[in-house]
Amino acid sequence: MTDDLTLPPVAAPYQLPFHYGALHNIGLDYLVDPAPVRKALAEHHPDLSAAEFDGRACVTLNYQLYFAQYPNGGGITQEIEYSIIAHPTASAGRLARLSYEQFARGYDQTKLLGIARLHVLCDNPLAIEAGTKLYGEPKYPAWFEATMPSLNGPAGDSWTVACKQATHTPSGAGIDRQERTLFSFSADLTGLSRTPVNNTPITGYGTDPAGRPIAGPMNVYQPYEYRSLTGEADRVRLTVQDASSPVGADLTTLIADAPAAGAWTYQSPPVAAHNRPYYVPRAD
């Protein structure tokens, strides 16, 4: 029997917690048949059980664009987590019975309902290594073409993300971008009612090389904005371009043509603005 009172080691040279300088994030939730979800979870995270909301399991796609500041500069990372909403099987007795809408609004304050990651695709080799070593994430290279709402762009609330194939470069210090698109999604949330929700810390579940489950909470210091897609599911479109890839196969098996049930977004507020110039009178 393992000692559950010990903490996982922090691999050098990393330090925890990892602080985000800015975060732009959209999550899309799908309510699906629980049988294939249970099978996938048993293969990837055998100590976890899939959450069920009125008899449906929930899988989620979570795109992040984030900035981090380091002593010698800064870095920008994009990634997508494809996950199952799950909880430790041994803690099932602590969970209240929730509907999906209650879960989406942050009612689970135990934070046992978290994201059990199946695939984490990322464009930053350092983040791939850190996520794998620190949190037991199944993380590997990809790259992204994305558009999202911005104060520096036209008005609206539309997101489009294409996830493309990549591999590590021979040195391991970079990624080799390839043109093959694995999957993509679009979400036009313009005009939908936004509900501020207290749904963090978000518990991320992984499994270390010894098969031991790991839980790593992520705090976001302002509310997310949740949008119910009841009656509005046609605003979101998920397309699997490569069903033969590991992530494409899992998307096809678990989501197929299920409609999106909800969307949640977070965008860091600006910290400064460089204003419009004005003319200075000339000296005579």
PDB file of all heavy atoms in Angstrom, residues 168-197:
ATOM      1  N   HIS A 168       8.595  16.641 -32.078  1.00  0.00           N
ATOM      2  CA  HIS A 168       9.786  17.247 -31.499  1.00  0.00           C
ATOM      3  C   HIS A 168      10.889  17.335 -32.559  1.00  0.00           C
ATOM      4  O   HIS A 168      11.048  16.435 -33.385  1.00  0.00           O
ATOM      5  CB  HIS A 168      10.298  16.413 -30.325  1.00  0.00           C
ATOM      6  CG  HIS A 168       9.467  16.544 -29.081  1.00  0.00           C
ATOM      7  ND1 HIS A 168       9.447  17.691 -28.314  1.00  0.00           N
ATOM      8  CD2 HIS A 168       8.640  15.672 -28.458  1.00  0.00           C
ATOM      9  CE1 HIS A 168       8.649  17.517 -27.277  1.00  0.00           C
ATOM     10  NE2 HIS A 168       8.140  16.301 -27.339  1.00  0.00           N
ATOM     11  N   THR A 169      11.652  18.417 -32.519  1.00  0.00           N
ATOM     12  CA  THR A 169      12.856  18.480 -33.344  1.00  0.00           C
ATOM     13  C   THR A 169      13.890  17.506 -32.785  1.00  0.00           C
ATOM     14  O   THR A 169      13.790  17.076 -31.630  1.00  0.00           O
ATOM     15  CB  THR A 169      13.428  19.907 -33.348  1.00  0.00           C
ATOM     16  OG1 THR A 169      13.722  20.299 -32.004  1.00  0.00           O
ATOM     17  CG2 THR A 169      12.447  20.883 -33.967  1.00  0.00           C
ATOM     18  N   PRO A 170      14.898  17.121 -33.579  1.00  0.00           N
ATOM     19  CA  PRO A 170      15.898  16.153 -33.094  1.00  0.00           C
ATOM     20  C   PRO A 170      16.567  16.567 -31.785  1.00  0.00           C
ATOM     21  O   PRO A 170      16.871  15.707 -30.952  1.00  0.00           O
ATOM     22  CB  PRO A 170      16.906  16.092 -34.246  1.00  0.00           C
ATOM     23  CG  PRO A 170      16.099  16.408 -35.459  1.00  0.00           C
ATOM     24  CD  PRO A 170      15.095  17.434 -35.012  1.00  0.00           C
ATOM     25  N   SER A 171      16.772  17.867 -31.580  1.00  0.00           N
ATOM     26  CA  SER A 171      17.410  18.319 -30.343  1.00  0.00           C
ATOM     27  C   SER A 171      16.465  18.291 -29.150  1.00  0.00           C
ATOM     28  O   SER A 171      16.905  18.332 -28.002  1.00  0.00           O
ATOM     29  CB  SER A 171      17.937  19.744 -30.517  1.00  0.00           C
ATOM     30  OG  SER A 171      16.852  20.665 -30.628  1.00  0.00           O
ATOM     31  N   GLY A 172      15.159  18.245 -29.423  1.00  0.00           N
ATOM     32  CA  GLY A 172      14.172  18.296 -28.358  1.00  0.00           C
ATOM     33  C   GLY A 172      13.875  19.695 -27.871  1.00  0.00           C
ATOM     34  O   GLY A 172      13.008  19.894 -27.015  1.00  0.00           O
ATOM     35  N   ALA A 173      14.571  20.709 -28.405  1.00  0.00           N
ATOM     36  CA  ALA A 173      14.405  22.086 -27.943  1.00  0.00           C
ATOM     37  C   ALA A 173      13.319  22.843 -28.693  1.00  0.00           C
ATOM     38  O   ALA A 173      12.991  23.976 -28.334  1.00  0.00           O
ATOM     39  CB  ALA A 173      15.727  22.837 -28.065  1.00  0.00           C
ATOM     40  N   GLY A 174      12.770  22.252 -29.727  1.00  0.00           N
ATOM     41  CA  GLY A 174      11.730  22.916 -30.508  1.00  0.00           C
ATOM     42  C   GLY A 174      10.727  21.903 -31.022  1.00  0.00           C
ATOM     43  O   GLY A 174      10.809  20.706 -30.712  1.00  0.00           O
ATOM     44  N   ILE A 175       9.756  22.379 -31.791  1.00  0.00           N
ATOM     45  CA  ILE A 175       8.815  21.471 -32.432  1.00  0.00           C
ATOM     46  C   ILE A 175       8.828  21.717 -33.935  1.00  0.00           C
ATOM     47  O   ILE A 175       9.053  22.835 -34.401  1.00  0.00           O
ATOM     48  CB  ILE A 175       7.377  21.607 -31.871  1.00  0.00           C
ATOM     49  CG1 ILE A 175       6.779  22.974 -32.174  1.00  0.00           C
ATOM     50  CG2 ILE A 175       7.334  21.331 -30.384  1.00  0.00           C
ATOM     51  CD1 ILE A 175       5.287  23.025 -31.964  1.00  0.00           C
ATOM     52  N   ASP A 176       8.611  20.660 -34.665  1.00  0.00           N
ATOM     53  CA  ASP A 176       8.574  20.699 -36.119  1.00  0.00           C
ATOM     54  C   ASP A 176       7.114  20.754 -36.558  1.00  0.00           C
ATOM     55  O   ASP A 176       6.372  19.779 -36.398  1.00  0.00           O
ATOM     56  CB  ASP A 176       9.275  19.458 -36.681  1.00  0.00           C
ATOM     57  CG  ASP A 176       9.282  19.426 -38.192  1.00  0.00           C
ATOM     58  OD1 ASP A 176       9.112  20.497 -38.809  1.00  0.00           O
ATOM     59  OD2 ASP A 176       9.443  18.327 -38.753  1.00  0.00           O
ATOM     60  N   ARG A 177       6.703  21.899 -37.067  1.00  0.00           N
ATOM     61  CA  ARG A 177       5.311  22.089 -37.477  1.00  0.00           C
ATOM     62  C   ARG A 177       5.038  21.395 -38.805  1.00  0.00           C
ATOM     63  O   ARG A 177       5.826  21.498 -39.748  1.00  0.00           O
ATOM     64  CB  ARG A 177       4.987  23.574 -37.613  1.00  0.00           C
ATOM     65  CG  ARG A 177       5.092  24.355 -36.316  1.00  0.00           C
ATOM     66  CD  ARG A 177       4.671  25.792 -36.537  1.00  0.00           C
ATOM     67  NE  ARG A 177       4.623  26.543 -35.301  1.00  0.00           N
ATOM     68  CZ  ARG A 177       4.070  27.743 -35.194  1.00  0.00           C
ATOM     69  NH1 ARG A 177       3.532  28.332 -36.267  1.00  0.00           N
ATOM     70  NH2 ARG A 177       4.054  28.370 -34.035  1.00  0.00           N
ATOM     71  N   GLN A 178       3.907  20.709 -38.873  1.00  0.00           N
ATOM     72  CA  GLN A 178       3.457  20.077 -40.104  1.00  0.00           C
ATOM     73  C   GLN A 178       2.077  20.634 -40.468  1.00  0.00           C
ATOM     74  O   GLN A 178       1.367  21.141 -39.601  1.00  0.00           O
ATOM     75  CB  GLN A 178       3.418  18.561 -39.917  1.00  0.00           C
ATOM     76  CG  GLN A 178       4.793  17.991 -39.553  1.00  0.00           C
ATOM     77  CD  GLN A 178       4.739  16.570 -39.049  1.00  0.00           C
ATOM     78  OE1 GLN A 178       3.760  15.869 -39.244  1.00  0.00           O
ATOM     79  NE2 GLN A 178       5.801  16.143 -38.369  1.00  0.00           N
ATOM     80  N   GLU A 179       1.720  20.561 -41.720  1.00  0.00           N
ATOM     81  CA  GLU A 179       0.498  21.223 -42.180  1.00  0.00           C
ATOM     82  C   GLU A 179      -0.767  20.407 -41.919  1.00  0.00           C
ATOM     83  O   GLU A 179      -1.876  20.913 -42.056  1.00  0.00           O
ATOM     84  CB  GLU A 179       0.607  21.537 -43.677  1.00  0.00           C
ATOM     85  CG  GLU A 179       1.495  22.736 -43.962  1.00  0.00           C
ATOM     86  CD  GLU A 179       1.037  23.981 -43.202  1.00  0.00           C
ATOM     87  OE1 GLU A 179      -0.156  24.285 -43.191  1.00  0.00           O
ATOM     88  OE2 GLU A 179       1.902  24.639 -42.593  1.00  0.00           O
ATOM     89  N   ARG A 180      -0.614  19.176 -41.513  1.00  0.00           N
ATOM     90  CA  ARG A 180      -1.770  18.314 -41.323  1.00  0.00           C
ATOM     91  C   ARG A 180      -2.611  18.775 -40.131  1.00  0.00           C
ATOM     92  O   ARG A 180      -2.113  18.890 -39.013  1.00  0.00           O
ATOM     93  CB  ARG A 180      -1.290  16.888 -41.080  1.00  0.00           C
ATOM     94  CG  ARG A 180      -2.364  15.827 -41.098  1.00  0.00           C
ATOM     95  CD  ARG A 180      -1.707  14.476 -40.877  1.00  0.00           C
ATOM     96  NE  ARG A 180      -2.587  13.372 -41.179  1.00  0.00           N
ATOM     97  CZ  ARG A 180      -2.222  12.099 -41.097  1.00  0.00           C
ATOM     98  NH1 ARG A 180      -0.975  11.795 -40.735  1.00  0.00           N
ATOM     99  NH2 ARG A 180      -3.068  11.138 -41.379  1.00  0.00           N
ATOM    100  N   THR A 181      -3.900  19.048 -40.356  1.00  0.00           N
ATOM    101  CA  THR A 181      -4.820  19.440 -39.282  1.00  0.00           C
ATOM    102  C   THR A 181      -5.413  18.185 -38.664  1.00  0.00           C
ATOM    103  O   THR A 181      -5.928  17.310 -39.361  1.00  0.00           O
ATOM    104  CB  THR A 181      -5.941  20.342 -39.810  1.00  0.00           C
ATOM    105  OG1 THR A 181      -5.367  21.522 -40.381  1.00  0.00           O
ATOM    106  CG2 THR A 181      -6.893  20.747 -38.693  1.00  0.00           C
ATOM    107  N   LEU A 182      -5.332  18.103 -37.320  1.00  0.00           N
ATOM    108  CA  LEU A 182      -5.890  16.962 -36.611  1.00  0.00           C
ATOM    109  C   LEU A 182      -7.381  17.156 -36.334  1.00  0.00           C
ATOM    110  O   LEU A 182      -8.187  16.271 -36.584  1.00  0.00           O
ATOM    111  CB  LEU A 182      -5.131  16.748 -35.296  1.00  0.00           C
ATOM    112  CG  LEU A 182      -3.619  16.539 -35.430  1.00  0.00           C
ATOM    113  CD1 LEU A 182      -2.976  16.417 -34.060  1.00  0.00           C
ATOM    114  CD2 LEU A 182      -3.323  15.303 -36.270  1.00  0.00           C
ATOM    115  N   PHE A 183      -7.728  18.325 -35.799  1.00  0.00           N
ATOM    116  CA  PHE A 183      -9.134  18.659 -35.574  1.00  0.00           C
ATOM    117  C   PHE A 183      -9.224  20.172 -35.419  1.00  0.00           C
ATOM    118  O   PHE A 183      -8.210  20.875 -35.250  1.00  0.00           O
ATOM    119  CB  PHE A 183      -9.707  17.948 -34.346  1.00  0.00           C
ATOM    120  CG  PHE A 183      -9.095  18.374 -33.035  1.00  0.00           C
ATOM    121  CD1 PHE A 183      -9.681  19.365 -32.250  1.00  0.00           C
ATOM    122  CD2 PHE A 183      -7.940  17.769 -32.571  1.00  0.00           C
ATOM    123  CE1 PHE A 183      -9.115  19.749 -31.054  1.00  0.00           C
ATOM    124  CE2 PHE A 183      -7.377  18.140 -31.361  1.00  0.00           C
ATOM    125  CZ  PHE A 183      -7.958  19.144 -30.597  1.00  0.00           C
ATOM    126  N   SER A 184     -10.445  20.683 -35.469  1.00  0.00           N
ATOM    127  CA  SER A 184     -10.671  22.113 -35.316  1.00  0.00           C
ATOM    128  C   SER A 184     -12.047  22.338 -34.713  1.00  0.00           C
ATOM    129  O   SER A 184     -12.915  21.458 -34.747  1.00  0.00           O
ATOM    130  CB  SER A 184     -10.558  22.832 -36.669  1.00  0.00           C
ATOM    131  OG  SER A 184     -11.518  22.330 -37.586  1.00  0.00           O
ATOM    132  N   PHE A 185     -12.234  23.511 -34.148  1.00  0.00           N
ATOM    133  CA  PHE A 185     -13.571  23.878 -33.671  1.00  0.00           C
ATOM    134  C   PHE A 185     -13.774  25.373 -33.826  1.00  0.00           C
ATOM    135  O   PHE A 185     -12.820  26.160 -33.899  1.00  0.00           O
ATOM    136  CB  PHE A 185     -13.797  23.442 -32.223  1.00  0.00           C
ATOM    137  CG  PHE A 185     -12.985  24.173 -31.186  1.00  0.00           C
ATOM    138  CD1 PHE A 185     -13.361  25.432 -30.726  1.00  0.00           C
ATOM    139  CD2 PHE A 185     -11.855  23.584 -30.652  1.00  0.00           C
ATOM    140  CE1 PHE A 185     -12.615  26.100 -29.771  1.00  0.00           C
ATOM    141  CE2 PHE A 185     -11.098  24.242 -29.687  1.00  0.00           C
ATOM    142  CZ  PHE A 185     -11.490  25.509 -29.243  1.00  0.00           C
ATOM    143  N   SER A 186     -15.032  25.759 -33.886  1.00  0.00           N
ATOM    144  CA  SER A 186     -15.405  27.171 -33.900  1.00  0.00           C
ATOM    145  C   SER A 186     -16.570  27.353 -32.937  1.00  0.00           C
ATOM    146  O   SER A 186     -17.388  26.452 -32.736  1.00  0.00           O
ATOM    147  CB  SER A 186     -15.800  27.624 -35.313  1.00  0.00           C
ATOM    148  OG  SER A 186     -16.938  26.908 -35.768  1.00  0.00           O
ATOM    149  N   ALA A 187     -16.633  28.527 -32.333  1.00  0.00           N
ATOM    150  CA  ALA A 187     -17.702  28.845 -31.381  1.00  0.00           C
ATOM    151  C   ALA A 187     -18.047  30.317 -31.525  1.00  0.00           C
ATOM    152  O   ALA A 187     -17.201  31.181 -31.260  1.00  0.00           O
ATOM    153  CB  ALA A 187     -17.264  28.533 -29.951  1.00  0.00           C
ATOM    154  N   ASP A 188     -19.261  30.601 -31.965  1.00  0.00           N
ATOM    155  CA  ASP A 188     -19.749  31.973 -32.037  1.00  0.00           C
ATOM    156  C   ASP A 188     -20.671  32.201 -30.844  1.00  0.00           C
ATOM    157  O   ASP A 188     -21.823  31.769 -30.842  1.00  0.00           O
ATOM    158  CB  ASP A 188     -20.494  32.215 -33.348  1.00  0.00           C
ATOM    159  CG  ASP A 188     -20.975  33.655 -33.474  1.00  0.00           C
ATOM    160  OD1 ASP A 188     -20.679  34.468 -32.572  1.00  0.00           O
ATOM    161  OD2 ASP A 188     -21.657  33.969 -34.465  1.00  0.00           O
ATOM    162  N   LEU A 189     -20.152  32.852 -29.828  1.00  0.00           N
ATOM    163  CA  LEU A 189     -20.887  33.063 -28.579  1.00  0.00           C
ATOM    164  C   LEU A 189     -21.493  34.454 -28.496  1.00  0.00           C
ATOM    165  O   LEU A 189     -22.031  34.835 -27.452  1.00  0.00           O
ATOM    166  CB  LEU A 189     -19.944  32.827 -27.390  1.00  0.00           C
ATOM    167  CG  LEU A 189     -19.163  31.509 -27.416  1.00  0.00           C
ATOM    168  CD1 LEU A 189     -18.231  31.427 -26.215  1.00  0.00           C
ATOM    169  CD2 LEU A 189     -20.109  30.315 -27.455  1.00  0.00           C
ATOM    170  N   THR A 190     -21.453  35.197 -29.597  1.00  0.00           N
ATOM    171  CA  THR A 190     -21.926  36.576 -29.609  1.00  0.00           C
ATOM    172  C   THR A 190     -23.394  36.645 -29.206  1.00  0.00           C
ATOM    173  O   THR A 190     -24.237  35.930 -29.758  1.00  0.00           O
ATOM    174  CB  THR A 190     -21.746  37.194 -31.005  1.00  0.00           C
ATOM    175  OG1 THR A 190     -20.375  37.059 -31.398  1.00  0.00           O
ATOM    176  CG2 THR A 190     -22.141  38.660 -31.018  1.00  0.00           C
ATOM    177  N   GLY A 191     -23.691  37.486 -28.231  1.00  0.00           N
ATOM    178  CA  GLY A 191     -25.073  37.721 -27.818  1.00  0.00           C
ATOM    179  C   GLY A 191     -25.613  36.758 -26.786  1.00  0.00           C
ATOM    180  O   GLY A 191     -26.699  36.984 -26.245  1.00  0.00           O
ATOM    181  N   LEU A 192     -24.901  35.678 -26.490  1.00  0.00           N
ATOM    182  CA  LEU A 192     -25.376  34.726 -25.488  1.00  0.00           C
ATOM    183  C   LEU A 192     -25.216  35.307 -24.082  1.00  0.00           C
ATOM    184  O   LEU A 192     -24.251  36.017 -23.786  1.00  0.00           O
ATOM    185  CB  LEU A 192     -24.614  33.414 -25.578  1.00  0.00           C
ATOM    186  CG  LEU A 192     -24.880  32.540 -26.802  1.00  0.00           C
ATOM    187  CD1 LEU A 192     -24.044  31.269 -26.715  1.00  0.00           C
ATOM    188  CD2 LEU A 192     -26.348  32.198 -26.932  1.00  0.00           C
ATOM    189  N   SER A 193     -26.155  34.980 -23.216  1.00  0.00           N
ATOM    190  CA  SER A 193     -26.088  35.437 -21.837  1.00  0.00           C
ATOM    191  C   SER A 193     -24.856  34.845 -21.148  1.00  0.00           C
ATOM    192  O   SER A 193     -24.593  33.650 -21.252  1.00  0.00           O
ATOM    193  CB  SER A 193     -27.361  35.019 -21.097  1.00  0.00           C
ATOM    194  OG  SER A 193     -27.296  35.380 -19.745  1.00  0.00           O
ATOM    195  N   ARG A 194     -24.125  35.689 -20.411  1.00  0.00           N
ATOM    196  CA  ARG A 194     -22.925  35.254 -19.707  1.00  0.00           C
ATOM    197  C   ARG A 194     -23.211  35.200 -18.212  1.00  0.00           C
ATOM    198  O   ARG A 194     -23.736  36.142 -17.635  1.00  0.00           O
ATOM    199  CB  ARG A 194     -21.771  36.232 -19.949  1.00  0.00           C
ATOM    200  CG  ARG A 194     -21.480  36.524 -21.401  1.00  0.00           C
ATOM    201  CD  ARG A 194     -20.345  37.531 -21.494  1.00  0.00           C
ATOM    202  NE  ARG A 194     -20.095  37.952 -22.863  1.00  0.00           N
ATOM    203  CZ  ARG A 194     -19.069  38.723 -23.233  1.00  0.00           C
ATOM    204  NH1 ARG A 194     -18.210  39.149 -22.306  1.00  0.00           N
ATOM    205  NH2 ARG A 194     -18.898  39.065 -24.490  1.00  0.00           N
ATOM    206  N   THR A 195     -22.833  34.092 -17.589  1.00  0.00           N
ATOM    207  CA  THR A 195     -22.995  33.933 -16.150  1.00  0.00           C
ATOM    208  C   THR A 195     -21.622  33.825 -15.509  1.00  0.00           C
ATOM    209  O   THR A 195     -20.870  32.893 -15.813  1.00  0.00           O
ATOM    210  CB  THR A 195     -23.804  32.664 -15.824  1.00  0.00           C
ATOM    211  OG1 THR A 195     -25.074  32.726 -16.488  1.00  0.00           O
ATOM    212  CG2 THR A 195     -24.018  32.532 -14.326  1.00  0.00           C
ATOM    213  N   PRO A 196     -21.236  34.757 -14.626  1.00  0.00           N
ATOM    214  CA  PRO A 196     -19.964  34.595 -13.916  1.00  0.00           C
ATOM    215  C   PRO A 196     -20.043  33.383 -13.001  1.00  0.00           C
ATOM    216  O   PRO A 196     -21.016  33.221 -12.255  1.00  0.00           O
ATOM    217  CB  PRO A 196     -19.836  35.892 -13.106  1.00  0.00           C
ATOM    218  CG  PRO A 196     -20.814  36.847 -13.700  1.00  0.00           C
ATOM    219  CD  PRO A 196     -21.928  36.008 -14.254  1.00  0.00           C
ATOM    220  N   VAL A 197     -19.045  32.512 -13.068  1.00  0.00           N
ATOM    221  CA  VAL A 197     -19.070  31.280 -12.271  1.00  0.00           C
ATOM    222  C   VAL A 197     -17.763  31.122 -11.499  1.00  0.00           C
ATOM    223  O   VAL A 197     -16.679  31.424 -11.996  1.00  0.00           O
ATOM    224  CB  VAL A 197     -19.326  30.033 -13.144  1.00  0.00           C
ATOM    225  CG1 VAL A 197     -20.720  30.072 -13.740  1.00  0.00           C
ATOM    226  CG2 VAL A 197     -18.296  29.890 -14.252  1.00  0.00           C
TER     227      VAL A 197
END
